[in-house]
Amino acid sequence: LAAARIARRTGESFDLTARAVGVLCGRRGHDDVVDAHVALHASERGHDVVTSDPDDLHRIAPGLRLIVV
C-alpha cells in the first residue's frame, strides 16, 4: 500500500463530494454511501475498482470497470 494515496477533502470540496454521493444514491435508488463514494472517486479518476460485490457497484455506475475477486 505504499503507492496508495489518500484524497484529502476539506471545506467546500468535502461538502460538494458529500452532496454528489447523496445525489448518486438518490438517482440510483441505492442506500450504501460507501459504494457510491467508491464509484464516484473511481469514475472521476478513471480507476478500476476491485470488489467482491459487483452487482451493487454496477447498479450505481454501470460503466465502471470492475475487477471481481
Side-chain angles (χ1 to χ4, degrees), residues 1-31:
L1 294 179
R5 188 180 69 127
I6 297 173
R8 298 190 192 282
R9 298 199 181 231
T10 59
E12 186 176 328
S13 177
F14 178 80
D15 186 51
L16 291 174
T17 299
R19 288 177 190 270
V21 167
V23 167
L24 184 57
C25 282
R27 286 186 178 163
R28 298 294 184 185
H30 194 70
D31 62 355

Side-chain angles (χ1 to χ4, degrees), residues 34-63:
V34 174
D35 284 349
H37 203 163
V38 168
L40 177 69
H41 283 288
S43 294
E44 286 177 347
R45 291 166 176 76
H47 291 175
D48 298 348
V49 175
V50 177
T51 182
S52 62
D53 190 6
D55 295 335
D56 284 348
L57 287 169
H58 181 71
R59 191 171 79 221
I60 294 171

